[in-house]
Amino acid sequence: MMKQGNKIWNGNVRDAALSILMEINKNQAYSNLLLHRTIEKYEIQPKDRALLTELTYGTLQHRMTLDYYLEPFVRGKLDGWVRELLRMSIYQIVYLTKIPPHAVVHEAVEIAKRRGHKRIAPTVNGILRSVLRSGVRSLDEIKDPIERIAIETSHPKWLIERWVALFGEEATKEMATQNNVPPNMSIRVNEVKTNVNAVTLELEKHNIHVRQGEVITECLISESGNPASTEIFKNGLITIQDESSMLPVYALDVAPNMKVLDMCAAPGGKTTHIAEKMNDKGEVYAHDLHEHKIKLIEKNSERLGLSSIKAQSGDSRELMEFYDKESFDRILVDAPCSGFGVIRRKPEIKYHKNEADVTGLLKIQSELLHTAEQLIKPNGIIVYSTCTVEYEENRGMVESFLKEHPTMELIPLPNLEENEKLQMQENTLQVLPQHFGGDGFFVAAFRKKV
């Protein structure tokens, strides 16, 4: 058993990474949130922060591969924390070539001494030294092509099978591989206050180098530094948001003085983008199920200097109780989903979720769209988006919505349909992580017939 009273941060990066990994496994915590809280709470310095992030994400991303490497060297059952320690150590040996292998073994043994009983340290030492002597086994030993992709990219076999059926073997392997690559930091320029050129020059003064986004004109991609730590961010000139996540607001095709509803708004990235696209003129109603998340929307709106946003909590499926029928010009339904498009940011979800998690969301997505259909004006536009790549939640949901609501028609995506970098399919957009480096995302737009 692990000794009690161990703090997440005691000055030892590997010890902290192990604690975070154990918390993720035990309580299905989100890695990005737990890492952020740990770094902020203990004021971890940049050098240690980088290694802590690398160890946490790397070990998580490659868990199945690491278990494949570890398996021949383990005899008998291991406590969960010991297996996690060995995974993290093998990750360093195989993937982080700048760290001397003997230093990895030494650190692991010292952690084992602190956390376990006296027989654990020799076990950890013996396994890791055997790995160093023999090396890890080749992935070529896996003959089944689906299992090979699953183990090589560390994705559950059931998920790989679903994706191969939908996208083909080559695209699936490319996507699963891309899911283990750290995402770009994308910046959305607040065009109510400034412009792309001005922000680029200001960031350069802070030694933060950026390049133009791939598909969105007000998007910049950071290639060095942390824009979120600058006065530029604090003063509301920029927002940190993935480029794919900016696509739904483009498709919404808003204009000043419109009345717009964002049904699943927190933390407010798309809500504030809507307000910016309207030049902060008009009404943007932002709703989210969780009351504590409303403060995030309000905080973001205040930082960006936007006054057109009105945020409220509550179940968006019941909004007919609050608004008149057919009273909105535009509605965004960025629906709760399985999240398989953002595995790069939350690698733990590929292990924690299963097929039931996909089907269990379909009813909620359908009910949100049904409410949106009642609230949208004739000739108004509803945009439906998710951050997943699952057919049932995306194209399948579009087909069922149109079948159940003859008042609606699928339309070419406004402001996106002619972009040659975006791969449209029957007036819908499915972005995969390998397309332009953004998150996996789906976007469709409906118009209410007059």
Side-chain angles (χ1 to χ4, degrees):
M1 295 291 291
M2 190 180 76
K3 291 178 180 176
Q4 300 300 309
N6 289 300
K7 296 180 179 179
I8 283 187
W9 180 251
N10 59 6
N12 186 298
V13 176
R14 291 170 177 82
D15 220 3
L18 179 58
S19 293
I20 290 173
L21 289 166
M22 289 162 58
E23 179 71 16
I24 291 166
N25 288 341
K26 181 180 178 181
N27 297 319
Q28 297 196 359
Y30 282 130
S31 53
N32 57 340
L33 299 179
L34 195 51
L35 262 172
H36 178 74
R37 285 201 300 266
T38 300
I39 289 168
E40 291 294 314
K41 180 177 179 180
Y42 298 102
E43 299 180 348
I44 298 174
Q45 296 304 303
K47 182 180 178 181
D48 288 338
R49 187 185 309 168
L51 181 56
L52 178 64
T53 302
E54 176 68 50
L55 293 178
T56 302
Y57 276 128
T59 305
L60 264 178
Q61 286 164 337
H62 299 280
R63 179 193 290 178
M64 291 172 61
T65 317
L66 298 170
D67 282 347
Y68 174 80
Y69 291 150
L70 181 60
E71 185 182 12
F73 302 99
V74 175
R75 300 290 181 268
K77 187 177 181 181
L78 295 172
D79 286 346
W81 72 270
V82 178
R83 178 173 290 277
E84 202 65 70
L85 175 60
L86 290 168
R87 285 171 178 157
M88 184 173 68
S89 301
I90 294 176
Y91 172 72
Q92 295 171 79
I93 292 168
V94 175
Y95 295 93
L96 302 185
T97 54
K98 291 183 180 180
I99 300 178
H102 68 271
V104 174
V105 176
H106 173 76
E107 282 287 341
V109 171
E110 291 302 308
I111 290 171
K113 287 178 181 177
R114 288 194 297 272
R115 288 182 177 250
H117 54 71
K118 62 181 180 180
R119 292 193 301 275
I120 293 296
T123 300
V124 169
N125 183 61
I127 290 172
L128 292 178
R129 291 199 177 279
S130 294
V131 172
L132 293 184
R133 282 195 303 271
S134 305
V136 295
R137 59 178 170 169
S138 172
L139 292 162
D140 292 336
E141 295 178 20
I142 307 171
K143 300 307 178 185
D144 178 75
I146 302 297
E147 186 177 358
R148 169 71 183 269
I149 295 173
I151 298 298
E152 187 175 8
T153 66
S154 201
H155 285 66
K157 189 175 180 180
W158 71 266
L159 196 55
I160 295 298
E161 288 173 340
R162 286 173 69 93
W163 292 351
V164 168
L166 190 57
F167 303 111
E169 191 173 310
E170 183 179 347
T172 294
K173 184 176 180 179
E174 193 176 358
M175 175 164 59
T177 300
Q178 189 69 26
N179 281 343
N180 292 332
V181 176
N184 296 319
M185 178 177 280
S186 303
I187 302 161
R188 191 187 79 229
V189 175
N190 181 359
E191 294 185 309
V192 175
K193 286 189 170 187
T194 184
N195 58 64
V196 168
N197 289 335
V199 167
T200 301
L201 291 173
E202 282 299 311
L203 289 171
E204 292 286 345
K205 292 177 184 177
H206 290 76
N207 294 316
I208 296 173
H209 304 294
V210 294
R211 58 180 171 83
Q212 180 64 49
E214 296 293 326
V215 293
I216 299 293
T217 56
E218 64 265 36
C219 175
L220 295 171
I221 309 297
S222 175
E223 298 188 315
S224 66
N226 181 15
S229 66
T230 64
E231 290 294 310
I232 302 165
F233 177 85
K234 183 180 178 181
N235 293 333
L237 302 184
I238 59 173
T239 293
I240 308 302
Q241 184 184 17
D242 186 79
E243 188 168 12
S244 292
S245 185
M246 303 178 200
L247 293 168
V249 174
Y250 259 62
L252 205 58
D253 195 29
V254 295
N257 302 315
M258 281 185 173
K259 184 179 180 182
V260 182
L261 172 64
D262 186 353
M263 294 180 72
C264 309
K270 297 179 187 67
T271 308
T272 53
H273 196 192
I274 291 169
E276 289 169 15
K277 281 294 184 185
M278 293 167 61
N279 200 28
D280 202 30
K281 295 176 181 177
E283 299 172 295
V284 182
Y285 293 86
H287 286 261
D288 196 85
L289 182 61
H290 305 287
E291 187 173 354
H292 68 278
K293 291 186 177 180
I294 296 302
K295 293 179 181 178
L296 294 174
I297 301 172
E298 293 171 342
K299 185 177 180 181
N300 278 324
S301 302
E302 183 179 353
R303 181 181 63 82
L304 294 165
L306 302 170
S307 60
S308 59
I309 297 170
K310 300 171 180 63
Q312 297 181 57
S313 63
D315 191 334
S316 288
R317 292 172 291 182
E318 300 172 0
L319 289 181
M320 284 300 295
E321 298 176 10
F322 299 93
Y323 299 111
D324 293 335
K325 186 179 176 66
E326 298 186 339
S327 58
F328 286 95
D329 299 293
R330 300 286 188 270
I331 299 177
L332 174 61
V333 183
D334 186 49
C337 68
S338 57
F340 288 134
V342 293
I343 289 175
R344 295 181 305 167
R345 301 179 190 279
K346 301 173 182 177
E348 63 281 351
I349 67 175
K350 60 185 176 180
Y351 312 119
H352 292 167
K353 290 184 181 290
N354 54 44
E355 291 179 274
D357 290 311
V358 176
T359 56
L361 290 161
L362 300 180
K363 185 173 185 290
I364 296 172
Q365 293 159 354
S366 178
E367 289 172 348
L368 286 167
L369 281 169
H370 174 70
T371 300
E373 186 273 340
Q374 295 176 79
L375 290 170
I376 196 71
K377 292 178 180 179
N379 210 37
I381 294 174
I382 298 171
V383 167
Y384 174 73
S385 62
T386 73
C387 58
T388 194
V389 297
E390 293 298 310
Y391 177 83
E392 291 94 329
E393 299 178 82
N394 294 342
R395 184 70 198 185
M397 184 55 59
V398 168
E399 292 169 356
S400 64
F401 176 65
L402 291 172
K403 185 177 180 180
E404 294 170 9
H405 297 87
T407 58
M408 304 302 298
E409 60 181 346
L410 187 68
I411 61 173
L413 290 169
N415 305 309
L416 297 177
E417 60 172 324
E418 295 181 1
N419 191 315
E420 295 179 356
K421 292 185 178 180
L422 298 174
Q423 300 180 22
M424 302 293 172
Q425 184 178 12
E426 298 177 350
N427 289 335
T428 63
L429 172 63
Q430 177 68 76
V431 176
L432 302 182
Q434 64 264 37
H435 286 169
F436 56 83
D439 290 339
F441 232 88
F442 177 82
V443 187
F446 309 98
R447 177 180 286 118
K448 192 170 216 177
K449 300 173 186 176
V450 179

